[in-house]
Amino acid sequence: MRSVNAIIQELDRIVSHPRVMLEKYLGKGKKVVGCFPIYIPEELVHAGGMIPMGIWGGQVSPAIAGKYSPTFTCSIMRSCMEFGLTGKYQGLSCVLLSVLCDTFRGTSQSWRIGVKDIPIIPFIQPQNRESKAAKEYLIAEYRSVRNRLEEITGCKITDHALSKSIEVYNRHNQTMREFAEVANEHLDVVSAKNRHAVMKSSHFMEKAEHTGIVQELIAGLKALPVCEWKGKKVILTGITAEPNELLDIFTANKIAVVGDDLAQESRQFRTDIPDGDNPMERLTDQWFLRKGCSLVFESHRCRGDMLINQLKENNADGIVVCLMKFCDIEEYEYPIIAQQIEDAGYPTLCIEIDQSTQDNEQSRTKIQSFTEMINDRRP
Amino acid sequence: MSEESKRITQRPVPLSRIMVNEQTAKVYEDALETKKRGERIAWSTAIYVQEICETLGVPVLYPENHSAALAAKHYGEDLIQYAEGNMRYPMNICSYARINFAFADKLKDPNYEWPSPAMPLPDLLLLANNSCVQLTKWYQNLSDTLGVPAFFIDMLYNFTEEKASAYKVKYIRTQIEEAITALEAFIGRKFDWDKFSEIQKRSALNNKLFKEIIALNVHKPAPLNGFDLFNYMAPMVICRGKESTTDILLQLKKEVEENIKNNTSTYPVDQEHRVFWEGIACWPCMRHNLKTLRNLGINAVTNGYVTAWDINYEPTNLDGMAAAYNFASTNSKSTPTVARLRSDLIKKFGCKGMICHVNKSCKVMDFHVFGGRDLIQKYTGVPIVNFDGDQGDSRSYSEAQFETRIQGLAEIMKQNKEGNHA
């Protein structure tokens, strides 16, 4: 059995070098499909015997993406465009994009025009989930995605295979949720950076394979003595919390991450696909169960309540809003949820996430001040 | 050419403009009166299915139009500062939204001195996201903070050039029917389908008239200063289903035809260059835009924004109505579609250049500007310049940059003209 550290190091290597995984799968004769943030029905890809691989940009200062993406659009999508235009995603059979914000609308076009060698399959989940027509619409939309995937890749996606893939994904979700719980017993080992590596690596591995590694990790953690964490605890919310250098600032200030509401992390795993007879309907039903996400319209927004519950359940000291630079969707939510959390008696810290810079000094100062504040608040 | 050398023709304010101002004032007054009587009024996104509330007789006000008006009158700066400072909204979100959030928050204070036009708080919200996804978040926040319901019609972005599939149209049509039923119950009035049909016909007539007026600017010299079209959009935004809009448009058409007959124009100097304007107006900086263009004899004879209310469908056909609303906005179309439409207009109107407003508040349109540039140049061959700005926040606009870019464009157009005559 490998040590906990060895497993985490492997996952961290995967996160740092996703291209290695792409090459590995291509070398095995697999087709790989790129999945833009945030909610892609990856199970369709998986059921076709292909590898769904997340594309979440990376720390890069775009040199040519500016031809298609204005400077004030979200840095993830600008870096995705940069990588697409410079051949970093070569090898992908196609990419899937769910058009849930204005930058996605624009990127669906920029990609078509600029990245000619990787076809894009855009689609939209319904935002008016209370309409009686929404489910029928989404089933048809997912069918259309399924047909396009089959056309482009030549892979067949059967209902039987889809049912099996759904089980793989549900099992993976459960495993990731278990990891999040177990990790909180071992905050000396599972630092903010390590937690992130485990979460993010899921985007670059076949899910059953990732489930196996995370289960091995959970078993390793359980074998360790429980840690009485002496530092402070926070919950992260936002789209992503990167890069590692930023996460290390939390550790340096003796702050542990005990939960998250990040689109790249727990929002991916918290909603299972419900039971049922028809796999396309099951896949569709998952969309109607999603809650507390800025990209999913709710007539009664519950994100603030969910965060407050997370704070209470994990005995955490505050919320860190990781505000993706130029992500207007999150920027609209920030004042509302921050107020709600503060009204409940918890402090919030807002830091900016920007993939186009390596400079974390502003965040360092803010995190230091926040640490002093929460140290003063509670013994 | 220097400013001094331009002879500016001062004209009295045309009757059509007076009628627009009167109509706008009446819309706001009616809403205030309704509110005072204890009845309900709505706030609506600009391309909602306006025919529904027009049928139900509910006064509707349009925050996008209202924010634009406040920005044009320079009330925007204080409100934006309030939204960013007191309310913690980041400066990256739409400036119309920031102005509106601040305005709505200040309205809770009974001692607040409202800037004109006075817009009372809503009892319900009408939300359609065909123009952009930001509207969904904007109205979700209003619904939360004001505690009023949002009647939501979710539109679907058309990412290809194909017509929307039947299943997409069905989703939108069903939502229109559901909105009618829900609003009928909320307002407590029976929905009159015959009246609905009449309002659909009236809206179609107004749409046809507005298109005809825009098309008249193909004449040389153009009978209208193209920027006038921004002002005449107000009736199409806030009163598209009303008879008063028909009266305004008939009057305007008469005035434009009179200009053509007399070889005159509302453009105040000789028109040396005809260009296409892409994007929403920079409302707080429009005076500077106009002055800069006028100094160089450039008339932006038409623009893409005014076509956003070109909503064509057969009255009584709900599927057609759903499809038309889903395709109405520039921001609901694919970039190749927009590039083709713009190119056709550039050719039809004899434009020799294109000015693109890179509007920080309108990301989808900016993506069209960036991604569509090569396509438009390929289709038309005209020079294109971009400038940075914003529809409501003057901080994104630089007078020097605008002047330099427009001077550069004028120089190229002049050379092209001389080359063509050589």
Side-chain angles (χ1 to χ4, degrees):
Chain A
M1 187 171 158
R2 291 184 295 176
S3 72
V4 163
N5 280 340
I7 297 168
I8 290 174
Q9 274 173 18
E10 182 193 340
L11 296 177
D12 188 47
R13 264 198 306 276
I14 288 168
V15 169
S16 305
H17 305 285
R19 178 86 210 170
V20 173
M21 296 305 289
L22 175 59
E23 297 290 351
K24 178 186 139 183
Y25 291 122
L26 291 174
K28 287 183 176 176
K30 289 279 187 185
K31 292 202 164 148
V32 182
V33 172
C35 298
F36 273 101
I38 287 171
Y39 297 122
I40 302 295
E42 289 185 22
E43 295 80 356
L44 290 173
V45 181
H46 192 269
M50 300 173 276
I51 305 293
M53 185 162 286
I55 49 177
W56 290 80
Q59 295 299 131
V60 63
S61 185
I64 56 173
K67 179 171 165 59
Y68 299 99
S69 308
T71 49
F72 45 82
T73 51
C74 123
S75 63
I76 287 192
M77 300 313 279
R78 266 171 71 78
S79 57
C80 285
M81 270 310 291
E82 182 75 9
F83 289 160
L85 290 165
T86 52
K88 298 282 191 300
Y89 293 138
Q90 248 174 25
L92 297 177
S93 297
C94 59
V95 291
L96 290 170
L97 175 74
S98 164
V99 183
L100 292 176
C101 74
D102 292 333
T103 301
F104 287 135
R105 282 190 187 188
T107 303
S108 73
Q109 302 305 303
S110 305
W111 190 278
R112 277 177 76 195
I113 295 166
V115 188
K116 295 199 185 299
D117 54 341
I118 306 177
I120 184 165
I121 306 176
F123 63 95
I124 314 178
Q125 286 106 344
Q127 289 291 358
N128 187 357
R129 298 182 297 169
E130 290 168 13
S131 168
K132 66 180 186 213
K135 182 173 173 179
E136 186 185 329
Y137 159 74
L138 187 56
I139 291 173
E141 186 74 340
Y142 279 175
R143 275 211 189 98
S144 159
V145 171
R146 178 175 169 165
N147 292 341
R148 284 287 291 143
L149 267 172
E150 289 183 332
E151 275 168 31
I152 291 171
T153 65
C155 295
K156 190 81 191 141
I157 301 165
T158 66
D159 276 0
H160 178 70
L162 183 56
S163 294
K164 285 190 150 187
S165 294
I166 287 172
E167 298 319 316
V168 168
Y169 272 74
N170 274 349
R171 184 141 186 265
H172 181 257
N173 288 348
Q174 288 149 17
T175 302
M176 295 306 288
R177 294 197 295 264
E178 187 186 355
F179 162 73
E181 274 183 32
V182 173
N184 286 355
E185 305 275 292
H186 304 281
L187 295 173
D188 50 342
V189 179
V190 187
S191 63
K193 182 174 77 177
N194 290 345
R195 188 181 188 279
H196 170 66
V198 178
M199 294 284 185
K200 189 179 177 184
S201 55
S202 68
H203 291 286
F204 309 121
M205 292 180 74
E206 190 277 323
K207 287 295 182 291
E209 194 181 348
H210 192 256
T211 301
I213 294 181
V214 178
Q215 283 181 341
E216 187 187 352
L217 175 63
I218 291 169
L221 286 170
K222 282 182 173 172
L224 298 175
V226 171
C227 159
E228 286 292 327
W229 180 250
K230 303 288 186 204
K232 295 295 175 185
K233 299 175 181 175
V234 294
I235 309 282
L236 306 181
T237 185
I239 301 295
T240 66
E242 296 181 302
N244 280 344
E245 291 74 16
L246 172 74
L247 295 170
D248 281 340
I249 303 171
F250 287 105
T251 308
N253 285 280
K254 296 190 171 50
I255 291 179
V257 174
V258 292
D260 81 87
D261 164 50
L262 297 167
Q264 192 184 51
E265 302 187 10
S266 286
R267 287 190 207 171
Q268 297 290 322
F269 316 121
R270 69 187 180 204
T271 311
D272 285 339
I273 297 169
D275 292 339
D277 297 327
N278 182 321
M280 287 301 280
E281 277 194 41
R282 293 177 67 193
L283 198 57
T284 303
D285 286 340
Q286 183 191 35
W287 176 251
F288 293 86
L289 296 172
R290 293 200 183 279
K291 287 196 299 188
C293 174
S294 53
L295 286 124
V296 185
F297 181 81
E298 290 174 309
S299 50
H300 299 287
R301 180 166 17 207
C302 58
R303 184 176 174 190
D305 287 335
M306 285 170 70
L307 287 167
I308 292 164
N309 285 341
Q310 268 189 289
L311 282 162
K312 289 178 182 165
E313 284 165 10
N314 295 291
N315 196 25
D317 298 282
I319 294 283
V320 179
V321 180
C322 303
L323 195 58
M324 175 63 62
K325 190 173 185 183
F326 299 131
C327 171
D328 41 69
I329 296 289
E330 283 282 306
E331 288 173 338
Y332 275 92
E333 291 247 319
Y334 162 62
I336 304 280
I337 57 161
Q339 192 61 53
Q340 200 179 342
I341 291 158
E342 288 161 17
D343 288 347
Y346 291 95
T348 65
L349 166 68
C350 182
I351 55 173
E352 187 176 81
I353 304 295
D354 183 358
Q355 289 195 342
S356 68
T357 177
Q358 303 289 339
D359 183 5
N360 295 303
E361 288 315 300
Q362 197 183 29
S363 296
R364 185 185 305 281
T365 310
K366 282 185 171 184
I367 293 167
Q368 282 166 347
S369 307
F370 185 71
T371 310
E372 284 168 22
M373 186 180 78
I374 55 179
N375 280 339
D376 289 345
R377 278 169 64 97
R378 288 172 61 182
Chain B
M1 191 179 288
S2 69
E3 190 176 356
E4 292 73 28
S5 65
K6 296 276 178 196
R7 182 187 287 170
I8 298 173
T9 314
Q10 293 292 348
R11 294 171 172 277
V13 178
L15 178 58
S16 58
R17 280 293 287 280
I18 295 168
M19 290 167 78
V20 169
N21 294 343
E22 286 174 352
Q23 183 194 49
T24 305
K26 186 170 185 317
V27 165
Y28 284 98
E29 278 162 22
D30 286 351
L32 272 173
E33 287 304 314
T34 305
K35 193 83 181 171
K36 278 182 196 160
R37 288 198 303 272
E39 294 174 27
R40 287 166 166 160
I41 69 141
W43 282 7
S44 176
T45 56
I47 319 183
Y48 192 78
V49 184
Q50 52 85 24
E51 292 87 339
I52 300 173
C53 273
E54 192 69 43
T55 302
L56 285 167
V58 179
V60 180
L61 298 174
Y62 293 84
E64 290 153 78
N65 174 267
H66 183 253
S67 291
L70 293 183
K73 293 175 179 177
H74 298 282
Y75 292 121
E77 285 86 352
D78 285 349
L79 290 165
I80 283 172
Q81 199 176 15
Y82 182 86
E84 292 173 7
N86 299 46
M87 301 178 79
R88 293 197 274 188
Y89 278 105
M91 68 180 294
N92 181 48
I93 66 165
C94 168
S95 55
Y96 283 177
R98 276 175 284 149
I99 290 171
N100 182 246
F101 285 142
F103 183 80
D105 199 57
K106 282 174 173 264
L107 276 188
K108 291 176 190 163
D109 175 1
N111 298 318
Y112 177 52
E113 287 183 27
W114 302 12
S116 172
M119 183 168 76
L121 283 170
D123 304 286
L124 63 145
L125 301 164
L126 306 172
L127 162 62
N129 52 1
N130 34 13
S131 297
C132 65
V133 181
Q134 283 203 42
L135 286 169
T136 318
K137 301 306 294 181
W138 176 354
Y139 276 61
Q140 189 182 19
N141 284 12
L142 285 177
S143 178
D144 273 6
T145 53
L146 302 177
V148 297
F151 295 85
F152 181 19
I153 300 176
D154 179 30
M155 303 280 182
L156 303 165
Y157 180 61
N158 300 282
F159 23 69
T160 69
E161 292 67 62
E162 290 164 18
K163 280 177 77 173
S165 309
Y167 72 89
K168 297 184 179 184
V169 173
K170 187 178 176 189
Y171 170 53
I172 296 158
R173 177 210 162 113
T174 306
Q175 291 180 84
I176 294 173
E177 291 168 333
E178 287 169 341
I180 290 171
T181 308
L183 282 161
E184 204 176 23
F186 186 76
I187 299 298
R189 281 182 211 144
K190 187 92 187 118
F191 193 77
D192 181 342
W193 286 91
D194 291 334
K195 188 177 172 191
F196 184 55
S197 169
E198 289 308 309
I199 287 164
Q200 287 181 316
K201 285 177 195 159
R202 172 70 58 191
S203 303
L205 171 63
N206 288 340
N207 186 35
K208 178 174 163 284
L209 280 169
F210 193 56
K211 268 168 48 179
E212 285 170 2
I213 292 162
I214 293 170
L216 287 173
N217 239 21
V218 297
H219 284 269
K220 292 178 185 172
L224 281 175
N225 181 343
F227 270 38
D228 291 350
L229 295 169
F230 285 129
N231 296 313
Y232 286 111
M233 268 170 43
M236 295 304 288
V237 179
I238 65 175
C239 297
R240 203 161 66 252
K242 289 190 195 298
E243 195 175 343
S244 58
T245 295
T246 313
D247 296 340
I248 291 169
L249 295 175
L250 286 171
Q251 173 61 29
L252 173 61
K253 194 174 174 196
K254 201 166 96 184
E255 291 166 9
V256 176
E257 285 170 340
E258 194 73 12
N259 275 342
I260 293 170
K261 198 172 110 192
N262 298 332
N263 211 28
T264 52
S265 173
T266 61
Y267 192 77
V269 297
D270 289 345
Q271 299 180 38
E272 290 175 35
H273 304 292
R274 299 165 67 89
V275 301
F276 186 94
W277 177 280
E278 179 60 294
I280 301 173
C282 285
W283 295 110
C285 312
M286 206 158 156
R287 188 182 291 268
H288 182 258
N289 293 158
L290 273 167
K291 188 177 146 200
T292 308
L293 294 176
R294 191 190 64 209
N295 285 347
L296 294 158
I298 297 172
N299 188 0
V301 290
T302 191
N303 66 71
Y305 190 45
V306 291
T307 60
W309 284 266
D310 184 11
I311 300 160
N312 290 307
Y313 63 91
E314 194 63 37
T316 75
N317 178 351
L318 271 187
D319 280 338
M321 186 186 211
Y325 269 96
N326 194 49
F327 193 67
S329 167
T330 295
N331 292 354
S332 64
K333 298 177 176 75
S334 75
T335 296
T337 300
V338 172
R340 179 56 79 185
L341 288 169
R342 299 300 190 255
S343 299
D344 289 348
L345 287 174
I346 285 168
K347 288 180 191 167
K348 181 180 166 188
F349 282 80
C351 297
K352 301 300 177 193
M354 183 180 192
I355 300 169
C356 298
H357 175 195
V358 180
N359 178 355
K360 200 171 173 199
S361 283
C362 194
K363 289 182 184 171
V364 186
M365 213 179 278
D366 297 334
F367 270 102
H368 287 321
V369 166
F370 282 55
R373 186 187 176 103
D374 288 350
L375 291 172
I376 293 173
Q377 268 180 332
K378 186 175 116 188
Y379 296 148
T380 67
V382 302
I384 301 172
V385 291
N386 293 355
F387 73 94
D388 299 315
D390 191 281
Q391 61 204 25
D393 187 342
S394 57
R395 292 173 300 180
S396 299
Y397 180 76
S398 153
E399 291 191 353
Q401 188 209 48
F402 186 74
E403 286 167 16
T404 310
R405 299 277 167 95
I406 301 304
Q407 282 159 4
L409 177 69
E411 193 58 39
I412 297 168
M413 289 193 294
K414 191 174 164 215
Q415 284 169 10
N416 288 347
K417 207 183 212 178
E418 286 165 358
N420 288 342
H421 287 300

